[in-house]
Amino acid sequence: MANTLVQFRAEETVRIKAVNICEKLGIDLPTYLRMCMSRLIQENGVPFSMKVDDLSAGRGMKAMKAASHIAAENGIANMTLDEINTEIFEARR
């Protein structure tokens, strides 16, 4: 199988940090990049999580998810706006 040259641009500081990590692992950056390409092929996709985790979603998003979970547990997740307003009105009385 013929080899081909693959090139791309990266910030110098990023390249230096990557090289330092690879050196600590006992490999060089080109070896690491070949490993990544091999895993991409083996997994038939990106070989690491590409999900937005709860930390990056922020506190507001966590609160909304928690509220949705509580509403689902209590059987009120599918209330209409009118039903919600009625509940609020009754609670304020």
Side-chain angles (χ1 to χ4, degrees), residues 70-79 84:
I70 291 167
E73 284 180 341
N74 291 293
I76 58 173
N78 296 320
M79 289 178 70
I84 293 169

Side-chain angles (χ1 to χ4, degrees), residues 75-92:
I76 58 173
N78 296 320
M79 289 178 70
T80 67
L81 183 57
D82 287 337
E83 291 171 327
I84 293 169
N85 286 332
T86 301
E87 288 285 327
I88 292 170
F89 178 78
E90 293 296 325
R92 289 181 177 166

Side-chain angles (χ1 to χ4, degrees), residues 10-53:
E11 291 182 17
E12 182 64 10
T13 55
V14 171
R15 186 193 67 79
I16 290 169
K17 288 177 183 178
V19 166
N20 289 336
I21 293 169
C22 286
E23 285 177 355
K24 290 176 185 175
L25 295 171
I27 59 175
D28 60 7
L29 188 57
T31 299
Y32 170 74
L33 295 172
R34 283 192 297 274
M35 290 167 57
C36 286
M37 289 175 62
S38 292
R39 284 301 301 253
L40 179 69
I41 294 165
Q42 288 173 357
E43 299 287 330
N44 198 28
V46 178
F48 51 83
S49 175
M50 294 186 66
K51 297 178 183 175
V52 176
D53 61 14

